[in-house]
Amino acid sequence: MAAYSNQLIHENSPYLLQHAHNPVDWYPWGEEALQKAKLEDKPILVSIGYAACHWCHVMERESFENPDTAAIMNAHFVNIKIDREERPDLDHIYMDAVQAMTGSGGWPLNVFLLPDGRPFYGGTYFPPVKAFNRSSWREVLQGVHQAFVQKRHELEAQATNLTEHLKQSNGFGFAKQGAHDSFMQQDTLATIAQNLLRNADTQWGGFGRAPKFPQTFSITFLLRHYHFTGDQAALDQALLSLDKMNAGGLYDQVGGGFARYSTDNEWLAPHFEKMLYDNALLLSALAEAYQLTKRDEYARVMRQTVEFLEREMKDVAGGFWSALDADSEGEEGKYYTWQYDEIQSLLGEDAAVFCAYFDVRPEGNWQHDASHPAVTILFAQKGMETFARERGMEMKDLQSLLDRCLQTLLAYRQARVRPQTDDKVLLGWNALLIKAFCKVYAALGDVRFRSLATETLAFAEGAFANGQGGWLHTWKGGQAKIPAFLDDLAYLVDAYIHVQEITGNVQYLKKAKALTEQILANFGDTETAFFFYTSENQSDIIVRKKEVYDGATPSGNAVMAQNLLYLSLIFNLPEWHERAMTMLRQLSQAIVKHPGSFGVWAIALQWQVQEPLELVVVGKEALMAIHPILERYIPCKVFQLAGEMPEHGFPLLEGRWQEGKTSYYLCRQYSCQAPVDTLEAFLAIV
């Protein structure tokens, strides 16, 4: 261990611990550092990143580990390191500030604040010497220091203007005169689909140009749009996107699981970091695609991805870790790429077919940079059926050969130096995964996935509840900390809803309702229908933001709109339904014009326009009906059942219990068709 340690040595975030032996006098965000800046009247440097961030590692090596650079930072600034995944609230605020100043953002995010915490200057990566039309990091440090000493009044004015901008940009959601529900119609959904398809890559799948992200919300909307309308273009683009992602380097062909995004249009070369939330969201999208198509490939990818998560990202206590780094041995992708001779040696007589299928050539198909030799990223350029037909092989024989080879490569790869694991467990990301496990169970019927959902939820309840009715955001090694954010709790409500559907246990719905009431009380904006990202009890931020964009993860506000729509039907709470409708009304224009950035909102709008089915099963055989019903593709539904005399307080179950009999009800807005007595008859009408 290095002789020097700074204040980060007492943290448990893997990202902060990476910087604990830098010569920079880093502090974690907290009262000690903030008071130090005020007492010494020094500007604050806030540097934000995360453990799997490639350019964060680069800037650390180039600048934060340099003693001369560190000396400048220590002399003139109070230096604070933040893990953006621990404090997404601070990341949102200061990212917005940098984007307002520079027009762009990213990580590492380096922001300079006045001693009172207001930002006045910032940027992302700065090189050690002037390059790429960017000032060097030392030039930036010296320039900011001089401005703070000589032009303090100008920085004060800049900080005031910037903080006011942040507050004003947060001031949306006030009711407009004449707001109505004319957008709640099929034509609106068709326009959303058209706007998504206008940006579609019809050759390689996905949306837009490189770098290409999975955009699972857009895919899910299009799958559902096809289900309701028969729009073949919507289905074709959704399935093309999943197929190309599954076949390329974005998907780890050897070990399962998806990387963060593709650096090219073909999904060949990913940015190799693997995030828990991406895998959860892709599992959910694949589950719906499987329900719709019953394609074996989707089932295979789901199973392999869950196996990867259990093998490489599961804490022994039961939760799932946050991320795997892109780099190993100082090189991006080294753990995941292959040499031609290496594969020939490992696979022997199977190598010829394997190499043809996965585009393994002596010259390689990817080069990290000019200083490294070309290597191969496994890339299945043809579908298995097409390849087998061209080779004159039986599908089962090809599948057997490929499985055998991939197992050999996986065993060999596990002896390599692994990428670093970000082993903190986040409530929100685990809640997304719980929902994904529910959806995979619904699609495939394997009880292992149902057990994963209920066990992970039990872990979350034990690890993140603070013992006083509240929840915490991050957990590691038995210790949870930082009050939960809106996303954490919104996703948890959604997880409770889905776990109830796969278990029939109404206690999960009661927990969902109680948690929603808590969110309304602690996060609700009293002037609009939206929710703040932070609780009303949080005091160490300069502005309470309301986040509505669906980015890499769903907007907590969008998920809350969905939750309110669902639970309003379960508990007959029209005021919750109206709140969700008000949220949708306020964002209706943005949802329609920019569905790629409001994908979960678009799905919520779709759910409402299509009028969800209310599926109710009551009686001693109710639990046996769960999977046969859930495996059907019924994307807009409320599903509730009772295998014994139901509790009061659930309108869909009231008055429906008959001893010794099982009844199946199909309803809309509490108006039900005559019940049927057999599962077969029920499946024929849903």
Side-chain angles (χ1 to χ4, degrees):
M1 182 178 286
Y4 177 78
S5 300
N6 56 46
Q7 294 295 315
L8 301 183
I9 197 67
H10 306 297
E11 297 297 302
N12 63 12
S13 156
Y15 176 66
L16 298 185
L17 289 172
Q18 285 173 8
H19 294 268
H21 301 294
N22 295 166
V24 178
D25 288 335
W26 292 118
Y27 286 81
W29 180 273
E31 197 60 29
E32 182 180 2
L34 299 176
Q35 286 302 320
K36 179 180 173 67
K38 291 177 181 176
L39 288 171
E40 298 180 7
D41 195 32
K42 283 184 176 179
I44 300 168
L45 164 64
V46 167
S47 184
I48 305 175
Y50 56 104
C53 167
H54 174 72
W55 286 101
C56 300
H57 300 332
V58 172
M59 192 163 178
E60 179 187 19
R61 287 195 300 268
E62 293 173 342
S63 295
F64 302 150
E65 291 179 350
N66 184 298
D68 295 333
T69 303
I72 300 171
M73 295 171 67
N74 296 339
H76 301 313
F77 303 93
V78 173
N79 303 292
I80 296 178
K81 257 290 169 197
I82 294 175
D83 180 340
R84 76 171 175 110
E85 294 162 2
E86 278 197 339
R87 292 300 304 263
D89 55 331
L90 295 169
D91 179 55
H92 292 166
I93 291 168
Y94 294 125
M95 181 67 76
D96 283 357
V98 168
Q99 288 176 330
M101 285 185 277
T102 69
S104 63
W107 299 276
L109 185 70
N110 294 291
V111 195
F112 294 92
L113 319 179
L114 293 173
D116 62 9
R118 292 180 299 150
F120 63 85
Y121 182 71
T124 55
Y125 165 78
F126 291 95
V129 294
K130 191 169 185 175
F132 320 119
N133 291 322
R134 291 172 182 254
S135 299
S136 75
W137 181 234
R138 289 196 199 181
E139 287 174 331
V140 169
L141 294 170
Q142 297 287 14
V144 170
H145 167 62
Q146 289 175 6
F148 186 77
V149 172
Q150 299 171 7
K151 301 178 180 179
R152 177 79 171 262
H153 64 286
E154 293 182 18
L155 301 189
E156 292 276 0
Q158 167 77 351
T160 298
N161 292 337
L162 198 52
T163 304
E164 188 58 33
H165 167 78
L166 294 175
K167 291 177 179 177
Q168 288 179 356
S169 66
N170 204 39
F172 60 87
F174 292 94
K176 300 170 186 172
Q177 290 297 319
H180 52 78
D181 292 345
S182 60
F183 70 101
M184 285 283 178
Q185 55 190 353
Q186 299 290 342
D187 287 351
T188 303
L189 301 181
T191 302
I192 290 172
Q194 290 167 9
N195 288 341
L196 286 173
L197 293 173
R198 193 171 289 124
N199 195 36
D201 181 340
T202 55
Q203 179 180 3
W204 288 101
F207 305 87
R209 307 292 293 173
K212 289 170 81 170
F213 292 81
Q215 293 205 30
T216 51
F217 315 137
S218 298
I219 291 170
T220 300
F221 179 89
L222 292 176
L223 289 172
R224 296 181 178 194
H225 187 66
Y226 167 78
H227 171 76
F228 290 116
T229 67
D231 183 343
Q232 190 65 39
L235 178 66
D236 290 347
Q237 187 61 30
L239 298 184
L240 176 69
S241 301
L242 292 173
D243 292 345
K244 292 299 186 182
M245 285 190 278
N246 290 346
L250 187 84
Y251 182 67
D252 180 356
Q253 305 294 336
V254 172
F258 291 87
R260 180 74 196 90
Y261 62 85
S262 176
T263 62
D264 53 53
N265 290 322
E266 296 79 30
W267 307 101
L268 166 65
H271 182 38
F272 288 90
E273 67 188 21
K274 287 180 174 178
M275 312 299 293
L276 185 67
Y277 59 79
D278 284 315
N279 285 278
L281 295 169
L282 278 156
L283 282 171
S284 290
L286 285 162
E288 294 202 22
Y290 179 82
Q291 287 173 310
L292 190 58
T293 67
K294 303 300 183 189
R295 288 190 188 176
D296 290 341
E297 175 70 3
Y298 299 147
R300 182 185 67 82
V301 171
M302 284 190 285
R303 290 183 187 278
Q304 287 184 343
T305 297
V306 174
E307 288 168 5
F308 150 71
L309 291 169
E310 289 192 281
R311 184 181 65 245
E312 299 188 37
M313 296 190 74
K314 189 173 185 181
D315 193 278
V316 292
F320 286 80
W321 297 327
S322 297
L324 293 178
D325 206 330
D327 299 10
S328 56
E329 300 181 79
E331 185 177 326
E332 184 178 1
K334 186 170 184 178
Y335 186 73
Y336 299 102
T337 55
W338 300 91
Q339 302 282 354
Y340 176 80
D341 291 342
E342 187 177 38
I343 286 182
Q344 293 290 323
S345 173
L346 288 166
L347 301 185
E349 63 182 17
D350 289 339
V353 172
F354 183 88
C355 289
Y357 184 76
F358 280 115
D359 189 36
V360 182
R361 296 172 267 135
E363 67 272 21
N365 62 9
W366 180 70
Q367 190 170 22
H368 178 240
D369 58 47
S371 65
H372 293 87
V375 291
T376 290
I377 300 170
L378 299 186
F379 183 25
Q381 293 186 310
K382 293 180 180 177
M384 201 175 294
E385 288 185 21
T386 302
F387 184 88
R389 186 170 60 250
E390 291 179 355
R391 287 261 163 170
M393 296 180 69
E394 293 289 332
M395 270 285 291
K396 62 178 175 32
D397 294 334
L398 175 59
Q399 185 69 70
S400 177
L401 182 148
L402 294 176
D403 288 346
R404 183 167 66 244
C405 292
L406 291 168
Q407 284 298 317
T408 298
L409 296 186
L410 178 61
Y412 177 82
R413 192 176 78 178
Q414 287 179 312
R416 292 176 173 175
V417 176
R418 283 173 48 80
Q420 180 174 328
T421 302
D422 185 337
D423 60 353
K424 66 178 179 292
V425 180
L426 298 177
L427 174 55
W429 296 5
N430 274 257
L432 289 176
L433 186 60
I434 293 164
K435 175 182 177 179
F437 287 148
C438 293
K439 292 176 77 70
V440 174
Y441 168 72
L444 302 181
D446 187 332
V447 296
R448 182 167 66 95
F449 303 120
R450 184 177 64 195
S451 296
L452 279 169
T454 56
E455 290 165 5
T456 308
L457 180 53
F459 164 81
E461 290 180 325
F464 292 100
N466 67 4
Q468 301 169 334
W471 295 82
L472 298 167
H473 168 67
T474 181
W475 178 98
K476 183 181 173 185
Q479 177 190 359
K481 63 179 185 178
I482 302 173
F485 302 106
L486 176 64
D487 289 0
D488 294 310
L489 302 183
Y491 301 169
L492 183 56
V493 171
D494 197 16
Y496 276 135
I497 288 169
H498 280 81
V499 173
Q500 182 275 151
E501 289 195 347
I502 66 167
T503 63
N505 185 344
V506 297
Q507 297 307 312
Y508 292 118
L509 289 175
K510 293 167 76 172
K511 291 178 178 180
K513 181 185 180 188
L515 184 52
T516 300
E517 290 168 343
Q518 189 180 124
I519 294 168
L520 286 162
N522 295 334
F523 292 81
D525 181 1
T526 57
E527 297 183 322
T528 76
F530 292 92
F531 298 88
F532 290 108
Y533 191 79
T534 49
S535 166
E536 65 179 3
N537 301 319
Q538 194 168 327
S539 59
D540 63 348
I541 48 175
I542 59 171
V543 61
R544 286 183 79 192
K545 282 182 58 58
K546 292 179 296 214
E547 298 283 349
V548 293
Y549 291 102
D550 296 314
T553 55
S555 155
N557 270 290
V559 175
M560 280 307 300
Q562 289 188 328
N563 293 339
L564 291 167
L565 290 172
Y566 192 106
L567 294 173
S568 69
L569 281 172
I570 290 289
F571 293 104
N572 191 19
L573 293 168
E575 64 273 21
W576 285 13
H577 179 269
E578 182 53 34
R579 183 165 190 147
M581 291 293 293
T582 301
M583 296 165 78
L584 287 168
R585 289 186 196 104
Q586 294 300 316
L587 290 178
S588 58
Q589 289 186 340
I591 296 167
V592 175
K593 288 182 180 177
H594 308 289
S597 299
F598 293 90
V600 180
W601 290 101
I603 292 168
L605 177 60
Q606 186 181 45
W607 200 86
Q608 181 62 29
V609 171
Q610 298 299 348
E611 289 192 354
L613 296 176
E614 296 152 18
L615 310 180
V616 183
V617 186
V618 178
K620 58 185 176 60
E621 297 177 359
L623 296 181
M624 291 188 288
I626 290 175
H627 181 253
I629 292 172
L630 289 181
E631 71 175 335
R632 294 292 186 93
Y633 191 51
I634 312 172
C636 294
K637 68 179 182 304
V638 167
F639 181 39
Q640 192 173 10
L641 61 155
E644 54 189 34
M645 177 73 77
E647 298 181 33
H648 292 295
F650 294 99
L652 288 169
L653 303 179
E654 291 288 345
R656 301 220 157 114
W657 177 263
Q658 296 182 57
E659 196 65 44
K661 183 179 180 183
T662 300
S663 300
Y664 303 81
Y665 296 85
L666 175 61
C667 316
R668 271 199 169 99
Q669 294 293 322
Y670 304 116
S671 177
C672 301
Q673 298 180 18
V676 296
D677 297 332
T678 68
L679 177 60
E680 292 73 22
F682 189 60
L683 293 175
I685 62 173
V686 295

PDB file of all heavy atoms in Angstrom, residues 367-379:
ATOM      1  N   GLN A 367      -8.972  -3.001 -33.186  1.00  0.00           N
ATOM      2  CA  GLN A 367      -7.700  -2.531 -32.629  1.00  0.00           C
ATOM      3  C   GLN A 367      -7.987  -1.425 -31.627  1.00  0.00           C
ATOM      4  O   GLN A 367      -8.628  -0.421 -31.961  1.00  0.00           O
ATOM      5  CB  GLN A 367      -6.781  -2.019 -33.735  1.00  0.00           C
ATOM      6  CG  GLN A 367      -5.358  -1.740 -33.271  1.00  0.00           C
ATOM      7  CD  GLN A 367      -4.410  -1.473 -34.433  1.00  0.00           C
ATOM      8  OE1 GLN A 367      -4.835  -1.100 -35.528  1.00  0.00           O
ATOM      9  NE2 GLN A 367      -3.121  -1.670 -34.211  1.00  0.00           N
ATOM     10  N   HIS A 368      -7.539  -1.651 -30.400  1.00  0.00           N
ATOM     11  CA  HIS A 368      -7.792  -0.685 -29.322  1.00  0.00           C
ATOM     12  C   HIS A 368      -7.190   0.667 -29.661  1.00  0.00           C
ATOM     13  O   HIS A 368      -7.841   1.705 -29.575  1.00  0.00           O
ATOM     14  CB  HIS A 368      -7.221  -1.230 -28.018  1.00  0.00           C
ATOM     15  CG  HIS A 368      -7.374  -0.304 -26.851  1.00  0.00           C
ATOM     16  ND1 HIS A 368      -6.310   0.183 -26.149  1.00  0.00           N
ATOM     17  CD2 HIS A 368      -8.479   0.250 -26.291  1.00  0.00           C
ATOM     18  CE1 HIS A 368      -6.739   0.989 -25.196  1.00  0.00           C
ATOM     19  NE2 HIS A 368      -8.047   1.035 -25.250  1.00  0.00           N
ATOM     20  N   ASP A 369      -5.925   0.672 -30.063  1.00  0.00           N
ATOM     21  CA  ASP A 369      -5.266   1.874 -30.559  1.00  0.00           C
ATOM     22  C   ASP A 369      -4.008   1.433 -31.298  1.00  0.00           C
ATOM     23  O   ASP A 369      -3.675   0.249 -31.349  1.00  0.00           O
ATOM     24  CB  ASP A 369      -4.946   2.871 -29.438  1.00  0.00           C
ATOM     25  CG  ASP A 369      -4.060   2.268 -28.353  1.00  0.00           C
ATOM     26  OD1 ASP A 369      -3.051   1.621 -28.693  1.00  0.00           O
ATOM     27  OD2 ASP A 369      -4.389   2.450 -27.167  1.00  0.00           O
ATOM     28  N   ALA A 370      -3.313   2.394 -31.885  1.00  0.00           N
ATOM     29  CA  ALA A 370      -2.175   2.067 -32.743  1.00  0.00           C
ATOM     30  C   ALA A 370      -1.045   1.369 -31.995  1.00  0.00           C
ATOM     31  O   ALA A 370      -0.221   0.683 -32.602  1.00  0.00           O
ATOM     32  CB  ALA A 370      -1.647   3.343 -33.403  1.00  0.00           C
ATOM     33  N   SER A 371      -1.009   1.500 -30.685  1.00  0.00           N
ATOM     34  CA  SER A 371       0.082   0.899 -29.914  1.00  0.00           C
ATOM     35  C   SER A 371      -0.193  -0.564 -29.556  1.00  0.00           C
ATOM     36  O   SER A 371       0.667  -1.225 -28.987  1.00  0.00           O
ATOM     37  CB  SER A 371       0.324   1.702 -28.629  1.00  0.00           C
ATOM     38  OG  SER A 371      -0.808   1.619 -27.772  1.00  0.00           O
ATOM     39  N   HIS A 372      -1.389  -1.060 -29.876  1.00  0.00           N
ATOM     40  CA  HIS A 372      -1.747  -2.434 -29.543  1.00  0.00           C
ATOM     41  C   HIS A 372      -2.028  -3.226 -30.814  1.00  0.00           C
ATOM     42  O   HIS A 372      -2.582  -2.685 -31.777  1.00  0.00           O
ATOM     43  CB  HIS A 372      -2.996  -2.471 -28.649  1.00  0.00           C
ATOM     44  CG  HIS A 372      -2.774  -1.893 -27.290  1.00  0.00           C
ATOM     45  ND1 HIS A 372      -2.913  -0.555 -27.025  1.00  0.00           N
ATOM     46  CD2 HIS A 372      -2.419  -2.467 -26.126  1.00  0.00           C
ATOM     47  CE1 HIS A 372      -2.662  -0.318 -25.741  1.00  0.00           C
ATOM     48  NE2 HIS A 372      -2.360  -1.468 -25.176  1.00  0.00           N
ATOM     49  N   PRO A 373      -1.688  -4.503 -30.851  1.00  0.00           N
ATOM     50  CA  PRO A 373      -2.014  -5.327 -32.020  1.00  0.00           C
ATOM     51  C   PRO A 373      -3.514  -5.541 -32.130  1.00  0.00           C
ATOM     52  O   PRO A 373      -4.245  -5.475 -31.134  1.00  0.00           O
ATOM     53  CB  PRO A 373      -1.289  -6.651 -31.733  1.00  0.00           C
ATOM     54  CG  PRO A 373      -1.160  -6.699 -30.239  1.00  0.00           C
ATOM     55  CD  PRO A 373      -0.977  -5.274 -29.803  1.00  0.00           C
ATOM     56  N   ALA A 374      -3.974  -5.799 -33.351  1.00  0.00           N
ATOM     57  CA  ALA A 374      -5.387  -6.078 -33.563  1.00  0.00           C
ATOM     58  C   ALA A 374      -5.766  -7.399 -32.907  1.00  0.00           C
ATOM     59  O   ALA A 374      -4.975  -8.345 -32.879  1.00  0.00           O
ATOM     60  CB  ALA A 374      -5.701  -6.120 -35.053  1.00  0.00           C
ATOM     61  N   VAL A 375      -6.963  -7.439 -32.371  1.00  0.00           N
ATOM     62  CA  VAL A 375      -7.482  -8.638 -31.718  1.00  0.00           C
ATOM     63  C   VAL A 375      -8.899  -8.883 -32.241  1.00  0.00           C
ATOM     64  O   VAL A 375      -9.401  -8.137 -33.080  1.00  0.00           O
ATOM     65  CB  VAL A 375      -7.503  -8.477 -30.182  1.00  0.00           C
ATOM     66  CG1 VAL A 375      -6.096  -8.441 -29.614  1.00  0.00           C
ATOM     67  CG2 VAL A 375      -8.287  -7.223 -29.781  1.00  0.00           C
ATOM     68  N   THR A 376      -9.540  -9.914 -31.728  1.00  0.00           N
ATOM     69  CA  THR A 376     -10.880 -10.260 -32.183  1.00  0.00           C
ATOM     70  C   THR A 376     -11.895 -10.075 -31.066  1.00  0.00           C
ATOM     71  O   THR A 376     -11.677 -10.515 -29.936  1.00  0.00           O
ATOM     72  CB  THR A 376     -10.931 -11.717 -32.681  1.00  0.00           C
ATOM     73  OG1 THR A 376     -10.198 -11.814 -33.909  1.00  0.00           O
ATOM     74  CG2 THR A 376     -12.373 -12.162 -32.933  1.00  0.00           C
ATOM     75  N   ILE A 377     -12.996  -9.424 -31.420  1.00  0.00           N
ATOM     76  CA  ILE A 377     -14.203  -9.415 -30.602  1.00  0.00           C
ATOM     77  C   ILE A 377     -15.168 -10.392 -31.266  1.00  0.00           C
ATOM     78  O   ILE A 377     -15.450 -10.267 -32.468  1.00  0.00           O
ATOM     79  CB  ILE A 377     -14.832  -8.013 -30.540  1.00  0.00           C
ATOM     80  CG1 ILE A 377     -13.853  -7.005 -29.926  1.00  0.00           C
ATOM     81  CG2 ILE A 377     -16.138  -8.038 -29.763  1.00  0.00           C
ATOM     82  CD1 ILE A 377     -14.308  -5.557 -30.050  1.00  0.00           C
ATOM     83  N   LEU A 378     -15.644 -11.376 -30.552  1.00  0.00           N
ATOM     84  CA  LEU A 378     -16.555 -12.356 -31.146  1.00  0.00           C
ATOM     85  C   LEU A 378     -17.805 -11.650 -31.662  1.00  0.00           C
ATOM     86  O   LEU A 378     -18.442 -10.885 -30.948  1.00  0.00           O
ATOM     87  CB  LEU A 378     -16.933 -13.424 -30.118  1.00  0.00           C
ATOM     88  CG  LEU A 378     -15.778 -14.258 -29.552  1.00  0.00           C
ATOM     89  CD1 LEU A 378     -16.320 -15.369 -28.662  1.00  0.00           C
ATOM     90  CD2 LEU A 378     -14.900 -14.835 -30.656  1.00  0.00           C
ATOM     91  N   PHE A 379     -18.142 -11.943 -32.931  1.00  0.00           N
ATOM     92  CA  PHE A 379     -19.186 -11.194 -33.621  1.00  0.00           C
ATOM     93  C   PHE A 379     -19.899 -12.146 -34.584  1.00  0.00           C
ATOM     94  O   PHE A 379     -19.343 -12.537 -35.607  1.00  0.00           O
ATOM     95  CB  PHE A 379     -18.525 -10.031 -34.382  1.00  0.00           C
ATOM     96  CG  PHE A 379     -19.479  -9.106 -35.090  1.00  0.00           C
ATOM     97  CD1 PHE A 379     -20.786  -8.957 -34.667  1.00  0.00           C
ATOM     98  CD2 PHE A 379     -19.044  -8.356 -36.175  1.00  0.00           C
ATOM     99  CE1 PHE A 379     -21.654  -8.085 -35.315  1.00  0.00           C
ATOM    100  CE2 PHE A 379     -19.895  -7.484 -36.829  1.00  0.00           C
ATOM    101  CZ  PHE A 379     -21.203  -7.351 -36.405  1.00  0.00           C
TER     102      PHE A 379
END
